[in-house]
């Protein structure tokens, strides 16, 4: 019986009498494959066509929907692997990579470069550059954000951004969202940082640069990377002047604005950012 | 065969009564002593049939959880748990999807299992309700005293008395008896009463006259006997245990589902393995690729299918229950549809199970009586004087009486005390003459001689109605030839004519004709006794017969038959057009069996048996070409001498078969032979003797009214009205559900591809996941259940009762064409989902090309500033919500395509326009609930319209396919694209 079934299997795969491979002759295979070729070509054509039509309906400068981005996210620099900044003051190599990423990150903010590329805008008001109807007012200009505005944390006076002295700088940025206007009545949004829960007394005094930790209104609105090629994202630097050493400190920074909604509980990074700081010192 | 050996070893019927007394330590006058009886009771246990070793409830439930699909889902659930375990071990706390999936899979199996179990439980309850709960009583003589005790207290050696109307309480050796007759039909299927006498007449205990068997009924007379077997050791008990020895056959639908599971499992592993290799090749870690493999296997399991199949089958079961078929086993519904041979009982199933007067012969004419169940037929001419005489003889010479208090009951349904022929005559005369009880009172009975087997007649003498006429009237009925011997004149049109050669010949012809119809014929005659010879007060002596019993005047013949049910010939005809053979298997005489078979169409008009051809051509039987004979009647005696090959040959060569005088074992042999020939066999039966055959059959059908508990236990289905026509309804429903299940499965399978491809694209192209598995579960178990169940309500596309039964080896439930068409053609239209997905992504700022390869950034929990195509930055949660939006959008696309899908699946060949677009929507609002589901699912209306062109494409494409299939049957198009 087993013999019979094994030869049956072999016949099902290749039947030498009828020249059938898997139950079909060559011409039968040819026909069916041709059928599927045509069928799938047609489907693929239809897919490409609908995609093409869909792409035609898109605006190049502004996405159709922005409902997910009502509250912009926030992010820190340097960010470590999992948003944690841990280093030993005495071990150079433990903070070396932080200063290097900061250097790289800040290089487009060099004063010389900014002066060359961007405008010096009037502060505390939105830098609005409307299109007039169908005529695009492109490319749009951007305002200067000079590295030197970060003062102590600019990496100019202190190459190591305070890491070598146990007074690390952390840069905070607000996510770019096209058309977002983060304040009104000339009041710029500003960042405040604090320790979470029981870590309150470990944090020590903080210093914000630019003063008060503001994102000046002149950097808004953002017009998208196609229209506003040289947009320079404003930054706020926080310097931890006297944080407790050899302990984990959970820090949360958030944006304070009179127009932006507070982020919901579900998104831990909308309108705020949390990270862990640990400074080891022997 | 074991049974025969057991029986041969027993010689209780052959030994003398003295030996019997010593063997069982009893006395034929005083019975057992009470103390000894209680000892024996302790030793042997009570005298009752142990219920067949009922499967424990938990095993029944476990069986519901261990079907083919169920096993697949268990494996999938285990895989999910493993995947979940791996994810957790790797510290990925967001991966609860796999856990939910596993839990859902398990609950689906358990819930559908409960459903099936409930169905089985419910039908078991129906069966239980049939059981006679009143304990049976028996009259036993113990310590020389007559007592009435519960029948299950009886023990071997007890001396019991039985009388007409009792059920025989155990196997009994008759010690003494008077005119005792027993109905053995529940044991052997013979409807003729068997007389029981103290003499041993045969060495075979089944044949001998001095043993009465447990559970048979004593029709008349009285008898005393010693119990030789009790409980499960009785003949009936042994047959019942024989049934449990016959293995259960797998139902065709179970085979189909297994076949389907093989396909699914094979494809799942194929796909899983392919993408495992692909993932490894692309550069995923081994563990990650392993999880992909598992996820694909799980995604491939059609979770909703199990529920769909169960619900479809139970809907049909419910529909059948309304038509008097109770289905014990859900799968049996479909089995009935693939039935190709029905082995049917005669008595009660094809016939009404009551003797009825069918023909009369008087005035040299055969008159047909009305045999319909509701007396709606034509009656004969009753104006003749001869008829009045014949009716008078028939009314008076009859000992049967109606049970009291039945005025409201229609005459054919009234209960009667008396044997079958007398009952038939009583009802017949009540219908034609009217008020027989009163009529008999007017003719006062003086003396009567009851029927006995030596005289073969019954007579009674009455005073006349007219008080002035002092003559006595002697009326006599009996075997026609014996009656004719005693007659010298014959009544023709009210005239007494001498009974000469010519009339004798006329009588012979009529007698032969009626006998040839399989009818039981009785002759009737009368005479007015001479007033002088037999004056008033003459002492008639029934034993001496001191009165005239010859030179009587012949009145006529009346023949009786158990007539077929009115609906049966139609039903048999339907079976014939549906390509189903109806084989009659009965314990009755070949002639009767053949007559009924011809009457209901099992043997069609013009069909001849080998013997008929031999007679017509006047050649010996051996010279007849067996293939010329369409019909064949085989008796149990002939069957005993046939080898199984010969039986197979006979079944193959003669399309119209009748088996008569068959024993229970032979019924089993016939079923096996049919199955050897590749048929799906349905067997009907009611007696305990039928239970082995019922069990062996692919579908056993027990009779609800006449059926014994053993038969109901062994059967898969129960006919509440004992009517053959109900089986045909069942067949129709079974075929319909097969067609509709096919549609349901095609519908269910189609969405497997759009559910799977997102994952495949996710792995290979690394786009953000377009469709999450919770969404898949929602589609499978919530939105798609209702449409797929609604397909079970679909009307048949063509007259399914004009097609041949499906060949289980060729017409599969899920064939290659169905799978290929669903997966590779309609399923591929899931491009709709991707169009919609990419649209939703692009409109939010993520262009299609950016999506490609985005996965690792997109899913990084710590990246809160991933840039989209416009330069905007997104946090992880914002991306996650976008992903959920994509799930919804993809879900909506699948559902829009599934709306098209459910519309196209309404038919496989006809255009939907021909079938009627919304017929099933109107009849079953479940369809419409689909729409509500969608409304609830999302408010993102803007993306609803993107997949619509694909939905239209599916619909149009399938209409083109159906058009091609209809226009060019047998063409390449038909072969490749018809499923």
């Amino acid at each position: 019986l087993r013999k019979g079934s094994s030869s049956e299997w072999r016949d099902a795969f290749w039947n030498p009498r009828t020249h059938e491979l898997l139950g079909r002759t060559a011409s039968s295979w040819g026909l069916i494959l041709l059928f599927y070729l045509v069928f799938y070509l047609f489907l693929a054509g239809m897919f490409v066509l609908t995609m093409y039509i869909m792409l035609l309906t898109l605006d190049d400068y502004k996405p159709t929907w922005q409902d997910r981005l009502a509250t912009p996210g926030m992010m820190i620099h340097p960010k470590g692997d999992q948003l944690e900044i841990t280093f030993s003051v005495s071990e150079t190599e433990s903070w070396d990579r932080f200063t290097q990423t900061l250097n790289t990150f800040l290089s487009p903010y060099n004063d010389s470069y900014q002066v060359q590329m961007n405008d010096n805008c009037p502060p505390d008001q939105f830098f609005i550059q409307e299109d007039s109807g169908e005529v695009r007012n492109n490319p749009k200009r951007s305002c200067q954000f000079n590295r030197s505005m970060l003062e102590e944390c600019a990496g100019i006076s202190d190459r190591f951004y305070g890491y070598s002295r146990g007074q690390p700088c952390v840069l905070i940025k607000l996510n770019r969202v096209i058309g977002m206007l983060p304040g009104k009545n000339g009041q710029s949004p500003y960042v405040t940082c604090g320790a979470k829960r029981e870590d309150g007394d470990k944090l020590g005094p903080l210093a914000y640069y630019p003063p008060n930790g503001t994102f000046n209104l002149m950097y808004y609105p953002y017009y998208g990377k196609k229209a506003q090629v040289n947009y320079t994202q404003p930054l706020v630097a926080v310097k931890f002047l006297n944080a407790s050493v050899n302990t984990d400190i959970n820090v949360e920074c958030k944006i304070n604005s009179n127009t932006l909604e507070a982020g919901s509980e579900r998104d831990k990074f909308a309108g705020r950012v949390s990270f862990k700081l640990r400074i080891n010192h022997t | 065969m074991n049974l025969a050996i057991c029986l041969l070893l027993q010689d209780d019927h052959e030994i003398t009564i003295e030996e019997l007394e010593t063997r069982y330590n009893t006395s034929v006058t005083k019975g057992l002593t009470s103390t000894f009886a209680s000892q024996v009771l302790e030793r042997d246990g009570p005298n009752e049939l142990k219920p067949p070793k009922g499967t424990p409830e938990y095993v029944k439930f476990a069986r519901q959880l261990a079907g083919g699909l169920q096993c697949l889902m268990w494996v999938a659930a285990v895989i999910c748990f493993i995947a979940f375990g791996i994810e957790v071990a790797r510290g990925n706390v967001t991966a609860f999807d796999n856990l939910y999936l596993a839990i859902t899979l398990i609950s689906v199996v358990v819930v559908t299992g409960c459903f099936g179990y409930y169905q089985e439980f419910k039908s078991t309850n129906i069966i239980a309700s049939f059981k006679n709960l009143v304990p049976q009583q028996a009259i036993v003589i113990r310590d020389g005293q007559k007592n009435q005790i519960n029948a299950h207290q009886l023990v071997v050696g007890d001396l019991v008395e039985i009388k007409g109307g009792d059920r025989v309480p155990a196997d009994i050796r008759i010690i003494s008896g008077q005119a005792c007759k027993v109905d053995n039909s529940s044991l052997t299927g013979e409807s003729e009463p068997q007389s029981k006498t103290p003499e041993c007449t045969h060495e075979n205990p089944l044949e001998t006259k001095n043993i009465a068997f447990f559970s048979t009924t004593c029709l008349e007379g009285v008898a005393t006997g010693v119990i030789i077997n009790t409980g499960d050791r009785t003949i009936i008990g042994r047959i019942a245990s024989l049934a449990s020895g016959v293995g259960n056959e797998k139902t065709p639908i179970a085979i189909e589902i297994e076949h389907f599971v093989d396909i699914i499992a094979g494809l799942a592993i194929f796909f899983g393995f392919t993408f495992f290799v692909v993932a490894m090749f692309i550069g995923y870690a081994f563990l990650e690729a392993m999880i992909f493999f598992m996820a694909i296997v799980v995604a491939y399991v059609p979770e909703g299918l199990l529920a769909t199949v169960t619900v479809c089958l139970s809907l049909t079961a419910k529909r059948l229950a309304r038509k008097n078929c109770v289905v014990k086993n859900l799968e049996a519904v479909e089995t009935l549809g693939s039935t190709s041979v029905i082995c049917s009982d005669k008595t009660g199933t094809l016939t009404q199970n009551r003797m009825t007067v069918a023909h009369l012969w008087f005035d040299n004419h055969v008159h047909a009586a009305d045999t319909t169940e509701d007396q709606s037929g034509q009656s004969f001419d009753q104006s003749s004087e001869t008829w009045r005489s014949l009716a008078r003889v028939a009314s008076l010479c009859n000992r049967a009486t109606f049970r009291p208090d039945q005025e409201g009951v229609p005459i054919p349904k009234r209960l009667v005390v008396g044997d079958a022929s007398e009952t038939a005559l009583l009802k017949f005369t009540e219908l034609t003459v009217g008020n027989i009880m009163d009529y008999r009172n007017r003719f006062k009975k003086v003396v009567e001689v009851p029927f006995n087997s030596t005289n073969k007649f019954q007579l009674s003498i009455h005073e006349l109605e007219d008080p002035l006429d002092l003559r006595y009237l002697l009326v006599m009925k009996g075997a026609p030839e014996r009656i004719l011997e005693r007659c010298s004149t014959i009544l023709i049109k009210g005239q007494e004519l001498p009974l000469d050669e010519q009339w004798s010949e006329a009588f012979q012809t009529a007698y032969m004709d009626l006998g040839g119809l399989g009818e039981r014929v009785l002759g009737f005659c009368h005479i007015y006794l001479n007033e002088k010879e037999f004056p008033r007060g003459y002492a008639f002596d029934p034993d001496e017969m001191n009165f005239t019993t010859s030179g009587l005047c012949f009145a006529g013949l009346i023949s009786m038959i158990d007539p077929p049910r009115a609906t049966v010939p139609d039903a048999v005809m339907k079976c014939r057009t549906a390509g189903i053979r109806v084989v009659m298997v009965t314990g009755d005489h070949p002639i009767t069996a053949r007559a009924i078979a011809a009457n209901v169409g099992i043997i069609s008009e013009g069909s001849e048996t080998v013997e008929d051809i031999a007679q017509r051509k006047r050649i010996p039987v051996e010279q007849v070409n067996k293939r010329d004979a369409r019909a064949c009647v085989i008796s149990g005696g002939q069957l005993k001498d046939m080898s199984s090959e010969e039986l197979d040959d006979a079944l193959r060569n003669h399309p119209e078969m009748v088996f008569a005088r068959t024993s229970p074992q032979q019924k089993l042999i016939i079923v096996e032979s049919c199955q050897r020939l590749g048929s799906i066999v349905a067997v009907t039966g009611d007696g305990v003797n039928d239970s082995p055959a019922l069990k062996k059959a692919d579908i056993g059908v027990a009779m609800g009214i006449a059926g014994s508990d053993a038969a109901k236990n062994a059967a898969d289905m129960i006919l509440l009205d004992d009517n053959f026509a109900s089986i045909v309804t069942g067949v129709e429903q079974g075929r319909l559900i097969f067609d509709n299940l096919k549609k349901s499965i095609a519908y269910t399978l189609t969405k497997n591809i759009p559910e799977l491809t997102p994952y495949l694209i996710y792995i290979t192209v690394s786009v953000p996941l377009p469709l999450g598995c919770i969404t898949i579960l929602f589609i499978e178990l919530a939105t798609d259940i209702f449409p797929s169940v609604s397909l079970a309500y679909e009307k048949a596309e063509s007259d399914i009762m004009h097609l041949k039964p499906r060949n289980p080896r060729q017409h599969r439930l899920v064939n290659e064409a169905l799978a290929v068409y669903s997966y590779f053609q309609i399923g591929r239209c899931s491009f709709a989902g991707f169009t919609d997905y990419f649209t939703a992504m692009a409109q939010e700022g993520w262009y299609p090309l950016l999506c490609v390869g985005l996965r690792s950034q997109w899913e990084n929990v710590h990246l809160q500033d991933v840039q989209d195509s416009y330069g905007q930055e997104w946090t992880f949660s914002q991306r996650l919500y976008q992903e959920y939006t994509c799930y919804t959008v993809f879900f909506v696309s699948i559902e829009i395509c599934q709306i098209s899908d459910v519309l196209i699946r309404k038919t496989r060949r006809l255009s939907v326009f021909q079938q009627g677009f919304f017929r099933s929507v109107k009849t079953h609002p479940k369809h419409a609930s689909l729409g509500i589901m969608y409304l609830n699912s999302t408010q993102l209306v803007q993306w609803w319209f993107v997949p619509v062109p694909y939905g239209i494409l599916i619909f149009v494409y399938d209409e083109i396919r159906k058009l091609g299939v209809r226009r060019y049957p047998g063409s390449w198009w038909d072969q490749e694209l018809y499923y």
Side-chain angles (χ1 to χ4, degrees), chain B residues 400-419:
Chain B
T401 53
F402 285 114
R403 293 252 174 96
D405 307 324
Q406 295 193 84
E407 278 71 32
V409 185
I411 295 164
K413 295 225 168 76
R414 286 192 199 167
L415 295 174
V416 174
V417 187
D419 76 13

Side-chain angles (χ1 to χ4, degrees), chain A residues 24 28 31-32 35-36 39-40 42-44 46-47 50-51 54-55 57-69 71-75 77 79 81-83 173-178 222 224-226 233 266-270, chain B residues 816 820-821 823-826 828-829 831-832 834-835 838-840 842-845 847-848 860-878 881-882 885 940 942-943 946 949-950 953 957 972-973 976-977:
Chain A
R24 284 177 185 279
S28 167
L31 259 174
I32 198 76
F35 173 82
Y36 276 102
F39 186 80
Y40 285 151
F42 176 75
L43 269 187
M46 179 137 172
F47 179 66
T50 45
M51 291 294 278
M54 183 272 290
L55 288 175
T57 63
L58 295 179
D59 187 333
D60 282 347
Y61 300 99
K62 196 171 191 282
T64 321
W65 311 102
Q66 283 184 294
D67 46 337
R68 300 270 160 249
L69 301 175
T71 311
M74 287 174 79
M75 193 59 176
H77 263 281
K79 59 176 184 272
D81 287 335
Q82 302 189 348
L83 294 181
K173 71 185 175 85
L174 190 65
N175 278 356
R176 292 194 294 261
V177 175
I178 293 177
Y222 175 52
K225 74 176 179 191
K226 190 165 180 194
Q233 203 165 1
R266 287 200 288 188
D267 190 349
K268 294 270 184 322
F269 295 92
Chain B
E816 197 188 320
V820 164
Y821 183 67
Y823 279 149
F824 297 119
Q825 296 183 29
I826 298 301
R828 284 296 174 235
C829 297
F831 276 129
F834 285 105
T835 315
F838 282 124
T839 308
Q843 292 193 335
E844 288 278 3
Y847 279 17
N860 188 337
V861 190
H862 306 294
L863 272 184
Q864 306 299 341
D865 56 350
V866 178
Q867 274 194 35
D868 67 15
S869 307
Y870 290 94
Q872 305 186 100
E873 290 167 322
W874 293 60
T875 66
F876 176 74
S877 291
Q878 287 163 348
Y881 278 96
Q882 177 58 24
T885 309
L940 306 167
Q942 67 265 26
W943 292 307
V946 180
Y950 287 93
L953 171 78
Y957 173 64
W972 178 85
W973 186 268
E976 296 291 347
L977 296 178

Side-chain angles (χ1 to χ4, degrees), chain A residues 44-112:
Chain A
M46 179 137 172
F47 179 66
V48 169
L49 183 74
T50 45
M51 291 294 278
Y52 179 71
I53 293 170
M54 183 272 290
L55 288 175
L56 284 185
T57 63
L58 295 179
D59 187 333
D60 282 347
Y61 300 99
K62 196 171 191 282
T64 321
W65 311 102
Q66 283 184 294
D67 46 337
R68 300 270 160 249
L69 301 175
T71 311
M74 287 174 79
M75 193 59 176
I76 56 163
H77 263 281
K79 59 176 184 272
D81 287 335
Q82 302 189 348
L83 294 181
E84 56 178 16
I85 299 166
T86 305
F87 64 96
S88 291
V89 178
S90 50
E91 293 170 43
T92 318
E93 55 275 20
S94 71
W95 43 261
D96 198 34
R97 59 193 176 101
F98 293 134
T99 56
Q100 273 173 22
T101 50
L102 285 174
N103 281 334
T104 328
F105 182 73
L106 285 176
S107 60
Y109 290 85
N110 285 336
D111 294 11
S112 53

Side-chain angles (χ1 to χ4, degrees), chain B residues 700-719:
Chain B
V701 182
M703 299 299 142
I705 303 169
S708 59
D709 292 341
K712 284 174 195 160
N713 271 321
D716 304 299
M717 218 174 83
I718 297 163
L719 295 185

Side-chain angles (χ1 to χ4, degrees), chain B residues 662-679:
Chain B
T662 47
S663 69
Q665 278 75 23
Q666 289 177 328
K667 204 164 187 177
L668 190 61
I669 291 169
I670 294 164
V671 171
E672 282 170 342
S673 178
C674 290
Q675 285 176 335
R676 264 201 304 279
L677 295 175
S679 307

